[in-house]
Amino acid sequence: MTDQRVAELVDELPDGVVVTDPDVVAAYRHDRAADPGAGTALAVVRPRRTEEVQAVLRWASAHGVPVVPRGMGTGLSGGATALDGGIVLSTEKMRDITVDPVTRTAVVQPGLLNAEVKKTVAEYDLWYPPDPSSYEICSIGGNIATNAGGLCCVKYGVTTDYVLGLQVVLADGTAVRLGGPRLKDVAGLSLTKLFVGSEGTLGVITEVTLKLLPPQKVASTVVASFNSVAAAADAVVEITGKIRPSMLEFMDAVAVNAVEDKLKMGLDRNAAAMMVAASDDRGAAGTEDAEYMARVFTEHGATEVFSTADPDEGEAFVAARRFAIPAVEAKGSLLLEDVGVPLPALADLVAGVEKLAAQHDVMISVIAHAGDGNTHPLIVFDPADADMAQRAQTAFGDIMDLAISLGGTITGEHGVGRLKRPWLAGQVGPDVMALNQRIKAALDPANILNPGAAF
Amino acid sequence: MTDQRVAELVDELPDGVVVTDPDVVAAYRHDRAADPGAGTALAVVRPRRTEEVQAVLRWASAHGVPVVPRGMGTGLSGGATALDGGIVLSTEKMRDITVDPVTRTAVVQPGLLNAEVKKTVAEYDLWYPPDPSSYEICSIGGNIATNAGGLCCVKYGVTTDYVLGLQVVLADGTAVRLGGPRLKDVAGLSLTKLFVGSEGTLGVITEVTLKLLPPQKVASTVVASFNSVAAAADAVVEITGKIRPSMLEFMDAVAVNAVEDKLKMGLDRNAAAMMVAASDDRGAAGTEDAEYMARVFTEHGATEVFSTADPDEGEAFVAARRFAIPAVEAKGSLLLEDVGVPLPALADLVAGVEKLAAQHDVMISVIAHAGDGNTHPLIVFDPADADMAQRAQTAFGDIMDLAISLGGTITGEHGVGRLKRPWLAGQVGPDVMALNQRIKAALDPANILNPGAAF
């Protein structure tokens, strides 16, 4: 039985754009957060053009139907959880890209994968830096909606730093162009920046103008093992105060062992922590940075330090770090945290998480973009064990409370979504919550766009 | 005769914070834009603490008195023009700074000069990159309110890229903290970024947390003369497509001669254009970049190319470029433009400005942060000559129309203020104007904060 309103939408859009097949609709209930509160949408809509997105939002506003925008569904906070009585608007079919090597920009539709953006611009000898670990499966539109981070942020910043312009469809169906291929532009409020990271609550991104850089230079990589997490964290703080590494990643003992179980690449199973660091400064400068980092690691008691200027060898360690999440996931279901703290609190955060793991009797592995103070405690649990699942949930919340108590954030790069929303007020306080709400109400007064997400 | 409302404000604040002396009030009528529409404020208020700013805004909201926030009054678009019946809130007495070398951040009050921020953090061997040409006289609060740029933006980005957190007092006197010393934080809307560049229309910045970098390396500098502006612009586009120079500045013949008149440093008076470029990549890489730029300049017909790795020699040319505005100002009053275009349109913009100068019979000198496509046409006129002043005004508007027609912006880094407001809708269109207004109305419904500025 098709809802009468949905029948109207089907009539308004080209054939195949609106899908009501229950199996398809069911496949769009969750993003990777597997939000247990997920509903079932009336339909999944997969537009190809901005005008189609406008039609969807005009229809949704007319009927008061909530719209959940969705990229590739790789979000980890439930930002794209389907709602009963709503629709899911997937941008996956919007996949155009045009690269302009003269302005060093790319105009991209939201459905292209981050990896596809990187690959296409590389054909013009250009580079799009942001590199979430999921870059091979996540969409650029989702990256912008969450202001995604990644491994190279420590030197190259996050997604917002590369967004020069957007085309956005507002709740009422109006399409606006914000910014554009201008490297400096302060005409009017910084609306482009406001929409980046707004998790689909203010508008649907239908096109983005990205700033590109000349290609990254080959990096020198340094890998170090520590028998103390605190020692590794201290080394991080010393390094970032002095130089600008292009990567500064951390894995704890659980992650190292989980990766070693799968990849068997000879990682030190007895290490309490492993660091993967790199410098992409050119020529002698990169080597100098690598030597400096190796020295700092040694001075902070690293038990093993290995340096390489060979890009393949270096990439193997980066791949190991990227593989940490799937490797730990092999041990059970995951609740994936994303808390961040000011750098000096990094060791306290990791130690606090370890305590919480013991207290709640769950396994928690910590990996981190250490140079940014952004950690991903991975809480492992057996979903068939209801008590353990509950303890994992409690730990999930306690970790956010811990981060807040250390002056940190409940989310460094994944977004608040639905899973972290109950903790947001605890971080930002009632006045900032009210400010978020005032802007939301000004732009989406009927609360059509992703209601219940973010704030 | 003191206004009864002002008497109330005097009572609420510590002695000396509220000033009604007519001479002092008169001195705060204008910023450097010398807006002819300036009024005279009821009072100038110079608070020292956030709580005092809150008291001012609660008072202003209660009485419906407009508040014009002001840094050091170096703005070039009339963003701090005083209003009849309003007050000027100057942040000049809020001058604290605390540097944390461990998190590589500084917490700064808005009244500190940009140069003072740079100098203080340098004592900790750290660097705050943004460098507007006015850095020795402009305040950091004003920099944030306008999202100021500068010379190093071509590689290091603009002010917003260094703002991690803000304390802001809203129109109703509420003080909120946005962001903080966390390098990645996506909890809630990107409100910090929204307030940067909002030109005092959404709130008064009372504290800012700045991201700092390790110190900049000594740069290799390349200076080149061209007998064609188009050739210089072509060289810029070729260079920025390949490498990341730390500076890529342009001066036209008028600017070169005006500077040479004053500094007598042997600049080529016959040149149509002069470029000052630099690379701060370390060691051999910087030298390589400089050699590459020198080669590109030569290949594009430069008549003279000079390279130096000597920092003092390099700095002399940068100082010459910085001195261009005062040097041209010696020839008459200035209307200072700030238009930007996508890089490939740079030559067309400069050629179009030349045409407008001839058409309106006024002298216009163009200097530019060429690597960003951001130009400063300096319109010279004699204010005693009413007809010429009118022609200068017409040229001022025509230049913005020209930039818009080339896909550009009416302001790259100075802000819209009051002088450029009539052109904003022409650039962004009615829907984006409405979006600006909706956010303004949500945050400042009584229009207390800097009414008439920006949008």
Side-chain angles (χ1 to χ4, degrees), chain B residues 27 83 230 236 257 266 332 348:
Chain B
L83 302 176
V236 167
N257 278 282
D348 289 345

Side-chain angles (χ1 to χ4, degrees), chain B residues 136-196:
Chain B
E136 290 171 304
I137 53 171
C138 62
S139 72
I140 195 78
N143 289 180
I144 289 157
T146 55
N147 190 13
L151 279 65
C152 74
C153 304
V154 63
K155 180 166 182 182
Y156 290 99
V158 293
T159 300
T160 195
D161 300 320
Y162 296 89
V163 180
L164 293 175
L166 291 175
Q167 185 177 45
V168 177
V169 178
L170 304 177
D172 64 4
T174 310
V176 293
R177 286 197 175 276
L178 307 170
R182 298 172 289 273
L183 296 171
K184 279 178 181 168
D185 184 356
V186 296
L189 295 174
S190 304
L191 298 177
T192 307
K193 296 281 188 192
L194 176 64
F195 279 88
V196 177

Side-chain angles (χ1 to χ4, degrees), chain A residues 103-104 182 184-186 189-190 196 237 240 281-282 288-289 344 369 372 407 409 411 413 436 438 442, chain B residues 102-104 182 184-186 189-190 196 240 281-282 288-289 344 369 372 407 409 411 413 436 438 442-443:
Chain A
T103 54
R104 241 177 44 207
R182 297 171 290 271
K184 278 181 185 166
D185 185 355
V186 296
L189 295 174
S190 304
V196 177
V237 170
T240 56
D281 267 21
R282 290 150 65 191
E288 213 175 87
D289 281 353
H369 308 303
D372 297 316
T409 176
T411 175
E413 57 181 15
N436 275 276
R438 281 156 80 175
Chain B
V102 179
T103 55
R104 240 178 44 206
R182 298 172 289 273
K184 279 178 181 168
D185 184 356
V186 296
L189 295 174
S190 304
V196 177
T240 56
D281 268 20
R282 289 149 66 192
E288 214 175 85
D289 282 352
H369 307 305
D372 298 316
T409 177
T411 175
E413 57 182 13
N436 276 276
R438 281 155 81 175
L443 268 55

Side-chain angles (χ1 to χ4, degrees), chain B residues 354-374:
Chain B
E354 206 172 313
K355 255 188 224 158
L356 287 171
Q359 186 185 323
H360 295 299
D361 192 22
V362 284
M363 177 190 280
I364 309 182
S365 171
V366 178
I367 56 178
H369 307 305
D372 298 316
N374 179 205

Side-chain angles (χ1 to χ4, degrees), chain A residues 223-227 251-258 260 265-274 302-305 317:
Chain A
V223 184
S225 300
F226 291 84
N227 52 25
M251 293 162 71
D252 73 358
V254 178
V256 168
N257 279 282
E260 184 61 19
M265 56 192 290
L267 303 182
D268 179 1
R269 285 185 176 278
N270 298 316
M274 184 176 117
T303 50
E304 214 176 292
V305 178
F317 286 100

Side-chain angles (χ1 to χ4, degrees), chain B residues 189-253:
Chain B
L189 295 174
S190 304
L191 298 177
T192 307
K193 296 281 188 192
L194 176 64
F195 279 88
V196 177
S198 63
E199 301 193 38
T201 62
L202 302 183
V204 178
I205 296 158
T206 58
E207 188 187 284
V208 51
T209 303
L210 297 173
K211 177 166 88 170
L212 307 172
L213 297 186
Q216 185 178 28
K217 305 299 165 191
V218 170
S220 296
T221 305
V222 184
V223 184
S225 301
F226 291 83
N227 52 26
S228 144
V229 167
D234 286 349
V236 167
V237 170
E238 181 158 342
I239 288 168
T240 56
K242 284 284 174 292
I243 67 163
R244 299 185 71 195
S246 56
M247 188 187 312
L248 201 45
E249 294 287 317
F250 169 94
M251 292 162 71
D252 74 357

Side-chain angles (χ1 to χ4, degrees), chain A residues 429-453:
Chain A
D431 289 333
V432 174
M433 286 301 282
L435 207 49
N436 275 276
Q437 297 291 2
R438 281 156 80 175
I439 289 170
K440 168 71 170 173
L443 267 55
D444 179 18
N447 201 18
I448 295 295
L449 284 162
N450 217 3

